[in-house]
Amino acid sequence: QARLVESGGGLVQPGGSLRLSCAASGFIFGSGIMSWYRQAPEKERELVATIDATGRRTNYADSAKGRFTISRDNAKRTVSLQMNSLRPEDTAVYYCHVRIGTATAWGQGTQVTVSS
């Protein structure tokens, strides 16, 4: 059974950086399309960034372009999200997500709070 465990969230000042990590187990990691989503209070969950199985193709939400970078290490079974120039509106719970064919799984989420 697929399991995703996020880490790296926390409190950061505006303009600061955080690096989120997601450790995966229970599935063939190299076959999974990995994504980061986020959900702010009273808002719908939204896609932040996606990386394909090979790591060669990435896509970002407009709000993340130029500031966030998604990457993966298939040997270590991890996917990361480097977040720079953080803004208060980036405050949310960030979730790791995997899709293999029609099967999907979510992590439990990690809180990111951007505040002075």
Side-chain angles (χ1 to χ4, degrees):
Q1 187 168 354
R3 185 167 184 248
L4 303 171
V5 179
E6 301 96 334
S7 61
L11 173 64
V12 63
Q13 292 187 343
S17 298
L18 278 177
R19 185 177 181 86
L20 306 183
S21 292
C22 172
S25 61
F27 63 97
I28 303 173
F29 186 75
S31 297
I33 297 172
M34 304 300 299
S35 299
W36 286 96
Y37 285 75
R38 68 185 183 187
Q39 187 166 18
E42 300 183 1
K43 291 189 176 181
E44 293 188 356
R45 193 171 296 189
E46 63 177 359
L47 178 64
V48 176
T50 297
I51 188 166
D52 75 348
T54 67
R56 288 195 289 265
R57 294 182 62 182
T58 58
N59 283 293
Y60 297 91
D62 287 343
S63 59
K65 287 179 181 176
R67 300 188 300 129
F68 294 3
T69 302
I70 188 171
S71 60
R72 68 188 292 161
D73 186 329
N74 284 356
K76 295 182 178 179
R77 303 175 62 84
T78 59
V79 60
S80 299
L81 185 68
Q82 176 66 42
M83 304 187 294
N84 300 326
S85 302
L86 284 162
R87 307 165 180 165
E89 53 264 40
D90 294 318
T91 296
V93 177
Y94 284 71
Y95 296 91
C96 184
H97 176 270
V98 60
R99 180 172 65 84
I100 302 177
T102 58
T104 64
W106 294 92
Q108 82 289 349
T110 186
Q111 176 70 46
V112 171
T113 302
V114 184
S115 175
S116 56

